[in-house]
Amino acid sequence: PKRFLQMLLPGPGRQPEGSLDGGATRAFSKRVLTWRLVGEAFSSQLSVAEQRYIFRLAFRMWSEVTPLDFQEDLTAPGAVVDIKLGFGRGRHLGCPRVFDGGGQEFAHAWRLGDIHFDDDEHFTPPSSDMGISLLKVAVHEIGHVLGLPHTYRTGSIMQPNYAPQETAFELDWSDRKAIQRLYGSCEGSFDTAFDWIRKERTPYGEVVVRFSTYFFRKSWYWLYENRHNRTRYGDPIQILIGWRGIPTQNIDAFVHIWTWKRDVRYFFKGNQYWSYDSEEDQAHTADERGRRYPRLISEGFPGVPSPLDTAFFERRQQLIYFFQESLVFAFDVNRNRLLSSYPKKITKVFPAIVPQNHPFRNIDSAYYSYAHNSVFFFKGNAYWKVVNDKDKQRNSWLPSNGLFPKKSISEKWFDVCDVHMSTLNM
Amino acid sequence: ETLFHSRDHSDLEPSSPLRQAKPIADIPAAQRFLSRYGWSGAQAAWGPSLGGPPEATPGAALAEAVRRFQQANRLPASGELDAATLAAMNRPRCGVPDTRLPPPAAQTPPPPGLLHRAR
């Protein structure tokens, strides 16, 4: 009881959680938070493994939309674990707020990170459509511990009343923006970004071309759903799981050569490159002449150095631009050789529109976006957009291939957030 | 002794599987609800639950609290404890008190075409 009493006293400048004039308030200043299902407070309704899995998933769902990472900690002294979860009935766990039995109040969260679930409720796993989804309640209560108050906005996970879920629930746009107002957007550099083009046949037999946007970082990746302004639910995923036969981390570049005669996709890492089979969704083992992959970049692209920083295919010119350090190499895919006037300084080929506002060297990724019909240079948290035809039509004075001043990647592509390694392959 | 349990375990309710919450069906229970979840009452919304009757909320103040709760739950703001209001009070809910709702303008409208699809 002493433990909870001192939590009720509002901290300096803080309202006790849930006070009538409270609002959203950031609760933690560090980036990695630890949590634990308290050993003497397991539920009697689900296996301990299932309870822990559900909580791990609940934390992961917040981690997918915030810069926070959550790690289950089973060894540190209880007092240093940031968020402790436990089940109890009636008078429980030394908590001054007594549970009322099955129905009505099903859980509550305390300001300093304790979350209690009323074990008189019928909590069920995500796969069940009976009872009360433990996952949904856990995501709600974690939202409180992170600083979010109740809202009656339809669709929000922070509504005070439990809404039986029709489909698998996710954090919607407004909940994401609410938590990002407290903890900021997700930043970080990418190893490569690209649009994956694929042809599909509609039920009426027409061939349509669709594209998906991918962001790669270290050993994981996100699919970005441009029409929903967010990453795919459940991402990031390990590269190992989603892409068969290419290196499982730290990809340098991706290039899709797409002309009337060719439709090939290459991944580059170090001094080698891999060809990827879109139909079979795996890397080729050999090319049409039987030469095995991976192959040396110096063999497949004579004159191109390695390792590369990045590369992209310019479809109209049918050139691949390879980037290394402060230089860019233009490679003619039809003659299979470098243009004679290359390499050149990146700043010469892609001049800054605003002086000194330029990535200069070591570009993380040169990404042609079909959603925006533009090339973007990514470096660190920033992107520079390359002048395209539409820009030129509007302002003819713009230099060809000029770079607009840098902006923040997280202001254009939302919710590309890391998760803790321990939850990466959930 | 583990972190939470009192030495004599008096804080552990004997687990009786049939424990059901008492329905909120009369004014005292509704007053307790409104006070517990921050809709009324001088008692700190988020304080220990006291077993005894809530501070008697005078009629006008009770009606006002009921009205606020009804508005938030998109019920006719009559200030009366009608059946729909009592039903809303009895729905499964989180125990954290409700806060004043942000003005509607505060919500950033989601971009068009947002779909909720499975994970």
Side-chain angles (χ1 to χ4, degrees):
Chain A
K2 257 205 291 299
R3 167 184 177 68
F4 289 99
L5 197 58
Q6 50 89 15
M7 275 198 287
L8 284 178
L9 307 176
R14 289 288 309 274
Q15 295 297 334
E17 175 166 328
S19 61
L20 281 182
D21 47 353
T25 45
R26 179 181 176 136
F28 295 95
S29 54
K30 56 185 180 179
R31 196 177 168 298
V32 180
L33 301 175
T34 55
W35 66 272
R36 179 186 299 169
L37 168 56
V38 170
E40 63 275 22
F42 295 151
S43 166
S44 54
Q45 304 180 61
L46 299 163
S47 72
V48 175
E50 214 166 17
Q51 294 168 49
R52 289 173 55 205
Y53 175 83
I54 290 170
F55 290 148
R56 201 175 310 130
L57 180 55
F59 281 108
R60 176 173 159 137
M61 289 177 78
W62 282 114
S63 189
E64 288 169 0
V65 299
T66 64
L68 297 173
D69 279 357
F70 299 95
Q71 180 182 12
E72 185 179 18
D73 183 333
L74 299 174
T75 55
V80 304
V81 174
D82 297 305
I83 302 172
K84 281 182 284 300
L85 307 99
F87 293 81
R89 288 187 162 114
R91 197 172 298 284
H92 60 280
L93 304 175
C95 176
R97 293 262 298 192
V98 179
F99 278 134
D100 51 15
Q104 292 170 41
E105 189 166 322
F106 48 64
H108 50 231
W110 288 88
R111 194 161 62 83
L112 288 188
D114 288 83
I115 299 176
H116 301 156
F117 301 87
D118 183 350
D119 211 16
D120 277 322
E121 304 297 340
H122 176 208
F123 287 118
T124 53
S127 52
S128 162
D129 52 10
M130 310 285 289
I132 290 189
S133 163
L134 179 58
L135 176 64
K136 206 168 180 181
V137 171
V139 171
H140 175 103
E141 300 304 333
I142 293 165
H144 279 317
V145 169
L146 296 179
L148 292 182
H150 280 156
T151 171
Y152 278 81
R153 183 177 54 73
T154 307
S156 171
I157 189 58
M158 296 313 293
Q159 295 179 71
N161 293 108
Y162 178 79
Q165 59 202 45
E166 311 74 40
T167 60
F169 90 96
E170 293 289 345
L171 293 170
D172 74 0
W173 171 268
S174 297
D175 284 341
R176 292 165 180 239
K177 300 312 142 192
I179 198 74
Q180 287 163 9
R181 276 196 288 275
L182 298 184
Y183 294 93
S185 307
C186 296
E187 308 279 9
S189 60
F190 296 106
D191 292 329
T192 190
F194 56 87
D195 283 352
W196 187 270
I197 309 290
R198 63 185 181 285
K199 298 185 194 73
E200 285 180 357
R201 203 169 283 280
T202 68
Y204 313 105
E206 303 144 327
V207 175
V208 290
V209 174
R210 295 188 194 285
F211 67 89
S212 300
T213 299
Y214 291 99
F215 290 94
F216 278 48
R217 177 183 292 156
K218 297 179 187 153
S219 64
W220 53 87
Y221 74 98
W222 297 261
L223 182 152
Y224 191 82
E225 297 189 2
N226 291 287
R227 63 184 181 286
H228 297 141
N229 291 295
R230 58 168 169 74
T231 53
R232 173 176 55 182
Y233 290 143
D235 284 4
I237 298 176
Q238 284 184 294
I239 294 172
L240 175 67
I241 292 176
W243 301 80
R244 287 180 293 172
I246 64 169
T248 58
Q249 60 183 355
N250 306 329
I251 297 282
D252 289 334
F254 169 84
V255 162
H256 179 196
I257 300 174
W258 191 23
T259 66
W260 291 110
K261 289 175 285 184
R262 288 174 73 182
D263 181 2
V264 289
R265 304 139 200 266
Y266 295 126
F267 287 93
F268 297 80
K269 180 177 178 181
N271 65 354
Q272 297 178 307
Y273 71 102
W274 290 253
S275 170
Y276 205 84
D277 182 337
S278 185
E279 299 307 317
E280 297 301 320
D281 193 11
Q282 63 185 16
H284 286 112
T285 51
D287 69 4
E288 60 284 353
R289 289 157 60 181
R291 294 175 297 189
R292 298 195 62 76
Y293 284 111
R295 295 187 57 202
L296 290 175
I297 293 174
S298 54
E299 272 175 23
F301 304 89
V304 172
S306 62
L308 295 164
D309 285 327
T310 189
F312 76 96
F313 179 60
E314 195 350 294
R315 281 186 64 209
R316 279 170 319 179
Q317 297 170 298
Q318 306 215 342
L319 293 175
I320 300 174
Y321 285 99
F322 289 104
F323 296 79
Q324 188 194 55
E325 301 287 330
S326 61
L327 298 178
V328 57
F329 299 73
F331 188 86
D332 182 333
V333 297
N334 298 312
R335 295 189 178 82
N336 207 48
R337 62 183 170 81
L338 282 181
L339 294 194
S340 55
S341 56
Y342 281 79
K344 291 180 179 175
K345 280 280 191 189
I346 298 174
T347 49
K348 283 282 174 284
V349 181
F350 301 95
I353 293 171
V354 173
Q356 298 309 305
N357 197 318
H358 193 285
F360 294 112
R361 55 188 303 117
N362 299 112
I363 295 173
D364 292 332
S365 183
Y367 162 42
Y368 179 77
S369 159
Y370 285 90
H372 304 284
N373 288 313
S374 297
V375 178
F376 295 92
F377 289 169
F378 287 172
K379 184 171 181 180
N381 297 332
Y383 74 83
W384 288 260
K385 179 186 173 300
V386 177
V387 170
N388 64 13
D389 292 352
K390 198 181 286 185
D391 299 317
K392 284 287 278 180
Q393 282 154 22
R394 275 194 224 119
N395 297 297
S396 57
W397 57 270
L398 286 170
S400 292
N401 286 336
L403 296 192
F404 285 102
K406 77 176 181 181
K407 290 185 176 174
S408 172
I409 294 173
S410 61
E411 287 166 8
K412 196 168 193 68
W413 291 276
F414 300 108
D415 307 347
V416 193
C417 299
D418 283 344
V419 296
H420 195 269
M421 284 302 280
S422 59
T423 63
L424 187 55
N425 51 0
M426 284 199 73
Chain B
E1 188 62 21
T2 46
L3 195 56
F4 289 118
H5 292 317
S6 310
R7 193 142 308 279
D8 63 357
H9 288 251
S10 58
D11 61 344
L12 272 186
E13 194 79 5
S15 64
S16 51
L18 302 181
R19 280 176 51 91
Q20 287 299 317
K22 247 186 254 96
I24 299 166
D26 55 28
I27 289 183
Q31 284 175 320
R32 253 195 302 281
F33 175 95
L34 292 165
S35 167
R36 183 178 174 92
Y37 297 115
W39 295 97
S40 76
Q43 171 207 357
W46 191 216
S49 51
L50 308 171
E55 291 167 40
T57 314
L62 173 61
E64 179 48 33
V66 171
R67 203 171 290 119
R68 273 208 297 271
F69 176 76
Q70 287 167 331
Q71 280 163 348
N73 285 276
R74 298 186 182 88
L75 295 168
S78 63
E80 299 293 325
L81 271 178
D82 52 32
T85 303
L86 287 172
M89 290 179 173
N90 282 288
R91 287 176 57 203
R93 65 157 293 142
C94 165
V96 172
D98 305 322
T99 54
R100 186 177 56 222
L101 302 184
Q107 300 296 333
T108 44
L114 259 190
L115 286 179
H116 247 258
R117 286 186 303 110
R119 172 160 285 248

Tab-separated table of all heavy atoms in Angstrom, chain A residues 223-259:
chain	number	residue	atom	x	y	z
A	223	LEU	N	7.496	-2.849	-45.221
A	223	LEU	CA	6.761	-2.515	-46.441
A	223	LEU	C	5.973	-1.256	-46.104
A	223	LEU	O	5.335	-1.192	-45.044
A	223	LEU	CB	5.824	-3.658	-46.822
A	223	LEU	CG	5.021	-3.455	-48.105
A	223	LEU	CD1	4.681	-4.791	-48.743
A	223	LEU	CD2	3.727	-2.691	-47.868
A	224	TYR	N	6.048	-0.241	-46.958
A	224	TYR	CA	5.349	1.009	-46.671
A	224	TYR	C	4.103	1.090	-47.533
A	224	TYR	O	4.180	0.985	-48.757
A	224	TYR	CB	6.252	2.218	-46.972
A	224	TYR	CG	5.687	3.510	-46.443
A	224	TYR	CD1	5.867	3.867	-45.104
A	224	TYR	CD2	4.926	4.353	-47.245
A	224	TYR	CE1	5.330	5.041	-44.599
A	224	TYR	CE2	4.382	5.520	-46.748
A	224	TYR	CZ	4.585	5.850	-45.420
A	224	TYR	OH	4.045	7.000	-44.924
A	225	GLU	N	2.942	1.271	-46.900
A	225	GLU	CA	1.685	1.337	-47.660
A	225	GLU	C	1.398	2.798	-47.981
A	225	GLU	O	0.842	3.530	-47.168
A	225	GLU	CB	0.561	0.699	-46.835
A	225	GLU	CG	0.824	-0.774	-46.571
A	225	GLU	CD	-0.364	-1.506	-45.954
A	225	GLU	OE1	-1.425	-0.873	-45.760
A	225	GLU	OE2	-0.235	-2.700	-45.670
A	226	ASN	N	1.788	3.229	-49.183
A	226	ASN	CA	1.688	4.649	-49.545
A	226	ASN	C	0.260	5.153	-49.415
A	226	ASN	O	0.032	6.272	-48.991
A	226	ASN	CB	2.169	4.839	-50.982
A	226	ASN	CG	3.660	4.604	-51.096
A	226	ASN	OD1	4.456	5.422	-50.652
A	226	ASN	ND2	4.050	3.453	-51.623
A	227	ARG	N	-0.737	4.288	-49.730
A	227	ARG	CA	-2.107	4.844	-49.718
A	227	ARG	C	-2.608	4.981	-48.293
A	227	ARG	O	-3.611	5.608	-48.031
A	227	ARG	CB	-3.044	3.965	-50.549
A	227	ARG	CG	-3.241	2.552	-50.050
A	227	ARG	CD	-4.123	1.771	-51.049
A	227	ARG	NE	-4.363	0.408	-50.613
A	227	ARG	CZ	-3.453	-0.566	-50.666
A	227	ARG	NH1	-2.251	-0.304	-51.134
A	227	ARG	NH2	-3.729	-1.777	-50.243
A	228	HIS	N	-1.925	4.353	-47.342
A	228	HIS	CA	-2.384	4.488	-45.944
A	228	HIS	C	-1.435	5.350	-45.126
A	228	HIS	O	-1.632	5.531	-43.936
A	228	HIS	CB	-2.491	3.112	-45.276
A	228	HIS	CG	-3.499	2.226	-45.917
A	228	HIS	ND1	-3.311	0.884	-46.089
A	228	HIS	CD2	-4.694	2.504	-46.482
A	228	HIS	CE1	-4.346	0.362	-46.721
A	228	HIS	NE2	-5.198	1.336	-46.967
A	229	ASN	N	-0.395	5.858	-45.764
A	229	ASN	CA	0.565	6.707	-45.056
A	229	ASN	C	1.137	6.036	-43.817
A	229	ASN	O	1.255	6.671	-42.753
A	229	ASN	CB	-0.116	8.016	-44.615
A	229	ASN	CG	-0.432	8.883	-45.817
A	229	ASN	OD1	0.488	9.343	-46.505
A	229	ASN	ND2	-1.697	9.061	-46.105
A	230	ARG	N	1.465	4.773	-43.918
A	230	ARG	CA	2.095	4.108	-42.784
A	230	ARG	C	2.735	2.817	-43.285
A	230	ARG	O	2.486	2.404	-44.415
A	230	ARG	CB	1.075	3.768	-41.691
A	230	ARG	CG	-0.043	2.890	-42.193
A	230	ARG	CD	-0.899	2.293	-41.120
A	230	ARG	NE	-2.090	1.696	-41.681
A	230	ARG	CZ	-2.095	0.528	-42.353
A	230	ARG	NH1	-0.944	-0.146	-42.523
A	230	ARG	NH2	-3.181	0.067	-42.884
A	231	THR	N	3.513	2.183	-42.382
A	231	THR	CA	4.094	0.886	-42.732
A	231	THR	C	3.023	-0.186	-42.560
A	231	THR	O	1.985	0.036	-41.922
A	231	THR	CB	5.256	0.572	-41.775
A	231	THR	OG1	4.787	0.696	-40.434
A	231	THR	CG2	6.419	1.514	-41.999
A	232	ARG	N	3.276	-1.323	-43.128
A	232	ARG	CA	2.352	-2.454	-43.024
A	232	ARG	C	2.214	-2.862	-41.557
A	232	ARG	O	3.210	-2.860	-40.819
A	232	ARG	CB	2.889	-3.606	-43.870
A	232	ARG	CG	2.151	-4.909	-43.750
A	232	ARG	CD	2.718	-5.937	-44.689
A	232	ARG	NE	4.162	-6.101	-44.479
A	232	ARG	CZ	4.919	-6.928	-45.222
A	232	ARG	NH1	4.371	-7.587	-46.217
A	232	ARG	NH2	6.205	-7.043	-44.994
A	233	TYR	N	1.022	-3.220	-41.129
A	233	TYR	CA	0.833	-3.693	-39.761
A	233	TYR	C	1.767	-4.890	-39.532
A	233	TYR	O	1.849	-5.792	-40.351
A	233	TYR	CB	-0.612	-4.149	-39.570
A	233	TYR	CG	-1.632	-3.040	-39.567
A	233	TYR	CD1	-2.877	-3.224	-40.138
A	233	TYR	CD2	-1.348	-1.792	-39.010
A	233	TYR	CE1	-3.835	-2.211	-40.141
A	233	TYR	CE2	-2.285	-0.774	-39.001
A	233	TYR	CZ	-3.517	-0.991	-39.566
A	233	TYR	OH	-4.446	0.015	-39.571
A	234	GLY	N	2.452	-4.817	-38.390
A	234	GLY	CA	3.281	-5.970	-38.025
A	234	GLY	C	4.722	-5.864	-38.471
A	234	GLY	O	5.544	-6.692	-38.103
A	235	ASP	N	5.041	-4.838	-39.294
A	235	ASP	CA	6.444	-4.625	-39.668
A	235	ASP	C	7.128	-3.831	-38.560
A	235	ASP	O	6.448	-3.089	-37.841
A	235	ASP	CB	6.520	-3.871	-40.989
A	235	ASP	CG	6.198	-4.804	-42.161
A	235	ASP	OD1	5.850	-5.964	-41.888
A	235	ASP	OD2	6.285	-4.379	-43.304
A	236	PRO	N	8.466	-3.927	-38.418
A	236	PRO	CA	9.426	-4.544	-39.347
A	236	PRO	C	9.500	-6.053	-39.201
A	236	PRO	O	9.105	-6.603	-38.172
A	236	PRO	CB	10.748	-3.911	-38.939
A	236	PRO	CG	10.616	-3.664	-37.483
A	236	PRO	CD	9.181	-3.259	-37.302
A	237	ILE	N	10.025	-6.653	-40.269
A	237	ILE	CA	10.225	-8.103	-40.338
A	237	ILE	C	11.689	-8.326	-40.688
A	237	ILE	O	12.319	-7.487	-41.319
A	237	ILE	CB	9.341	-8.704	-41.454
A	237	ILE	CG1	7.858	-8.480	-41.163
A	237	ILE	CG2	9.596	-10.182	-41.606
A	237	ILE	CD1	6.958	-8.977	-42.275
A	238	GLN	N	12.207	-9.484	-40.291
A	238	GLN	CA	13.600	-9.794	-40.654
A	238	GLN	C	13.723	-10.007	-42.161
A	238	GLN	O	12.878	-10.664	-42.782
A	238	GLN	CB	14.032	-11.076	-39.938
A	238	GLN	CG	14.344	-10.858	-38.461
A	238	GLN	CD	14.854	-12.133	-37.829
A	238	GLN	OE1	14.103	-13.102	-37.730
A	238	GLN	NE2	16.111	-12.135	-37.438
A	239	ILE	N	14.809	-9.500	-42.730
A	239	ILE	CA	15.073	-9.678	-44.163
A	239	ILE	C	15.128	-11.177	-44.469
A	239	ILE	O	14.595	-11.659	-45.471
A	239	ILE	CB	16.400	-9.005	-44.560
A	239	ILE	CG1	16.301	-7.485	-44.409
A	239	ILE	CG2	16.809	-9.384	-45.988
A	239	ILE	CD1	17.606	-6.746	-44.583
A	240	LEU	N	15.694	-11.908	-43.537
A	240	LEU	CA	15.850	-13.367	-43.671
A	240	LEU	C	14.511	-14.033	-43.964
A	240	LEU	O	14.428	-15.006	-44.711
A	240	LEU	CB	16.408	-13.887	-42.345
A	240	LEU	CG	16.579	-15.375	-42.129
A	240	LEU	CD1	17.655	-15.906	-43.053
A	240	LEU	CD2	16.931	-15.641	-40.670
A	241	ILE	N	13.440	-13.479	-43.369
A	241	ILE	CA	12.114	-14.096	-43.522
A	241	ILE	C	11.454	-13.679	-44.827
A	241	ILE	O	10.789	-14.458	-45.497
A	241	ILE	CB	11.234	-13.714	-42.323
A	241	ILE	CG1	11.781	-14.373	-41.053
A	241	ILE	CG2	9.782	-14.102	-42.556
A	241	ILE	CD1	11.069	-14.004	-39.786
A	242	GLY	N	11.646	-12.405	-45.199
A	242	GLY	CA	10.880	-11.894	-46.331
A	242	GLY	C	11.569	-11.985	-47.679
A	242	GLY	O	10.915	-11.835	-48.718
A	243	TRP	N	12.865	-12.207	-47.692
A	243	TRP	CA	13.603	-12.190	-48.974
A	243	TRP	C	14.550	-13.389	-48.983
A	243	TRP	O	15.498	-13.418	-48.185
A	243	TRP	CB	14.395	-10.895	-49.128
A	243	TRP	CG	13.519	-9.689	-49.078
A	243	TRP	CD1	13.017	-9.079	-47.957
A	243	TRP	CD2	12.983	-8.977	-50.190
A	243	TRP	NE1	12.211	-8.042	-48.314
A	243	TRP	CE2	12.178	-7.950	-49.681
A	243	TRP	CE3	13.111	-9.099	-51.574
A	243	TRP	CZ2	11.505	-7.041	-50.496
A	243	TRP	CZ3	12.448	-8.194	-52.389
A	243	TRP	CH2	11.659	-7.181	-51.851
A	244	ARG	N	14.333	-14.320	-49.865
A	244	ARG	CA	15.122	-15.561	-49.795
A	244	ARG	C	16.342	-15.492	-50.714
A	244	ARG	O	16.209	-15.166	-51.896
A	244	ARG	CB	14.234	-16.727	-50.212
A	244	ARG	CG	13.198	-17.074	-49.123
A	244	ARG	CD	12.338	-18.216	-49.533
A	244	ARG	NE	11.485	-17.844	-50.678
A	244	ARG	CZ	10.734	-18.739	-51.335
A	244	ARG	NH1	10.788	-20.011	-51.003
A	244	ARG	NH2	9.974	-18.346	-52.330
A	245	GLY	N	17.522	-15.734	-50.109
A	245	GLY	CA	18.723	-15.883	-50.927
A	245	GLY	C	19.582	-14.650	-51.046
A	245	GLY	O	20.660	-14.690	-51.620
A	246	ILE	N	19.141	-13.528	-50.478
A	246	ILE	CA	20.025	-12.339	-50.516
A	246	ILE	C	20.649	-12.182	-49.136
A	246	ILE	O	20.209	-12.821	-48.178
A	246	ILE	CB	19.230	-11.062	-50.894
A	246	ILE	CG1	18.181	-10.735	-49.829
A	246	ILE	CG2	18.602	-11.208	-52.271
A	246	ILE	CD1	17.550	-9.369	-50.003
A	247	PRO	N	21.665	-11.331	-48.992
A	247	PRO	CA	22.274	-11.142	-47.667
A	247	PRO	C	21.217	-10.728	-46.638
A	247	PRO	O	20.276	-10.005	-46.978
A	247	PRO	CB	23.277	-10.014	-47.894
A	247	PRO	CG	23.600	-10.069	-49.345
A	247	PRO	CD	22.345	-10.519	-50.012
A	248	THR	N	21.389	-11.194	-45.417
A	248	THR	CA	20.326	-10.978	-44.417
A	248	THR	C	20.470	-9.658	-43.687
A	248	THR	O	19.667	-9.336	-42.812
A	248	THR	CB	20.361	-12.117	-43.377
A	248	THR	OG1	21.678	-12.113	-42.787
A	248	THR	CG2	20.094	-13.455	-44.031
A	249	GLN	N	21.501	-8.869	-44.028
A	249	GLN	CA	21.587	-7.556	-43.362
A	249	GLN	C	22.484	-6.612	-44.148
A	249	GLN	O	23.244	-7.032	-45.013
A	249	GLN	CB	22.113	-7.715	-41.929
A	249	GLN	CG	23.483	-8.340	-41.853
A	249	GLN	CD	23.936	-8.534	-40.414
A	249	GLN	OE1	23.263	-8.122	-39.473
A	249	GLN	NE2	25.099	-9.137	-40.254
A	250	ASN	N	22.320	-5.337	-43.864
A	250	ASN	CA	23.220	-4.296	-44.375
A	250	ASN	C	23.354	-4.312	-45.895
A	250	ASN	O	24.458	-4.293	-46.441
A	250	ASN	CB	24.608	-4.408	-43.743
A	250	ASN	CG	24.535	-4.402	-42.218
A	250	ASN	OD1	23.640	-3.776	-41.634
A	250	ASN	ND2	25.417	-5.134	-41.581
A	251	ILE	N	22.226	-4.368	-46.590
A	251	ILE	CA	22.220	-4.309	-48.059
A	251	ILE	C	22.704	-2.911	-48.468
A	251	ILE	O	22.290	-1.915	-47.875
A	251	ILE	CB	20.784	-4.522	-48.577
A	251	ILE	CG1	20.298	-5.906	-48.188
A	251	ILE	CG2	20.705	-4.276	-50.079
A	251	ILE	CD1	20.808	-7.040	-49.025
A	252	ASP	N	23.573	-2.849	-49.477
A	252	ASP	CA	24.083	-1.540	-49.916
A	252	ASP	C	23.124	-0.865	-50.890
A	252	ASP	O	22.898	0.343	-50.821
A	252	ASP	CB	25.443	-1.709	-50.615
A	252	ASP	CG	26.536	-2.081	-49.626
A	252	ASP	OD1	26.384	-1.731	-48.447
A	252	ASP	OD2	27.492	-2.749	-50.039
A	253	ALA	N	22.609	-1.646	-51.856
A	253	ALA	CA	21.802	-0.996	-52.904
A	253	ALA	C	20.876	-2.009	-53.552
A	253	ALA	O	21.104	-3.220	-53.481
A	253	ALA	CB	22.722	-0.390	-53.950
A	254	PHE	N	19.832	-1.462	-54.162
A	254	PHE	CA	18.902	-2.261	-54.983
A	254	PHE	C	18.673	-1.502	-56.282
A	254	PHE	O	18.569	-0.270	-56.285
A	254	PHE	CB	17.571	-2.433	-54.259
A	254	PHE	CG	16.483	-3.006	-55.141
A	254	PHE	CD1	16.365	-4.361	-55.324
A	254	PHE	CD2	15.617	-2.145	-55.832
A	254	PHE	CE1	15.376	-4.883	-56.157
A	254	PHE	CE2	14.637	-2.667	-56.668
A	254	PHE	CZ	14.513	-4.033	-56.832
A	255	VAL	N	18.640	-2.268	-57.384
A	255	VAL	CA	18.379	-1.623	-58.677
A	255	VAL	C	17.405	-2.487	-59.454
A	255	VAL	O	17.535	-3.713	-59.473
A	255	VAL	CB	19.710	-1.481	-59.467
A	255	VAL	CG1	19.450	-1.251	-60.927
A	255	VAL	CG2	20.530	-0.329	-58.903
A	256	HIS	N	16.382	-1.855	-60.034
A	256	HIS	CA	15.434	-2.578	-60.898
A	256	HIS	C	15.611	-2.037	-62.313
A	256	HIS	O	15.232	-0.910	-62.606
A	256	HIS	CB	14.018	-2.328	-60.417
A	256	HIS	CG	12.988	-3.025	-61.270
A	256	HIS	ND1	11.654	-2.715	-61.246
A	256	HIS	CD2	13.098	-4.034	-62.181
A	256	HIS	CE1	10.984	-3.478	-62.084
A	256	HIS	NE2	11.851	-4.297	-62.679
A	257	ILE	N	16.243	-2.860	-63.183
A	257	ILE	CA	16.421	-2.454	-64.587
A	257	ILE	C	15.171	-2.888	-65.330
A	257	ILE	O	14.886	-4.090	-65.444
A	257	ILE	CB	17.660	-3.117	-65.221
A	257	ILE	CG1	18.915	-2.715	-64.432
A	257	ILE	CG2	17.793	-2.719	-66.684
A	257	ILE	CD1	20.177	-3.437	-64.885
A	258	TRP	N	14.385	-1.885	-65.777
A	258	TRP	CA	13.074	-2.210	-66.373
A	258	TRP	C	12.964	-1.456	-67.688
A	258	TRP	O	12.790	-0.257	-67.724
A	258	TRP	CB	11.983	-1.762	-65.404
A	258	TRP	CG	10.624	-2.271	-65.770
A	258	TRP	CD1	10.320	-3.364	-66.531
A	258	TRP	CD2	9.384	-1.690	-65.389
A	258	TRP	NE1	8.986	-3.506	-66.646
A	258	TRP	CE2	8.366	-2.501	-65.954
A	258	TRP	CE3	9.012	-0.589	-64.615
A	258	TRP	CZ2	7.017	-2.232	-65.779
A	258	TRP	CZ3	7.661	-0.320	-64.434
A	258	TRP	CH2	6.678	-1.129	-65.020
A	259	THR	N	13.215	-2.207	-68.787
A	259	THR	CA	13.101	-1.599	-70.114
A	259	THR	C	12.195	-2.514	-70.944
A	259	THR	O	11.693	-3.508	-70.429
A	259	THR	CB	14.487	-1.543	-70.797
A	259	THR	OG1	14.892	-2.904	-71.045
A	259	THR	CG2	15.518	-0.858	-69.903
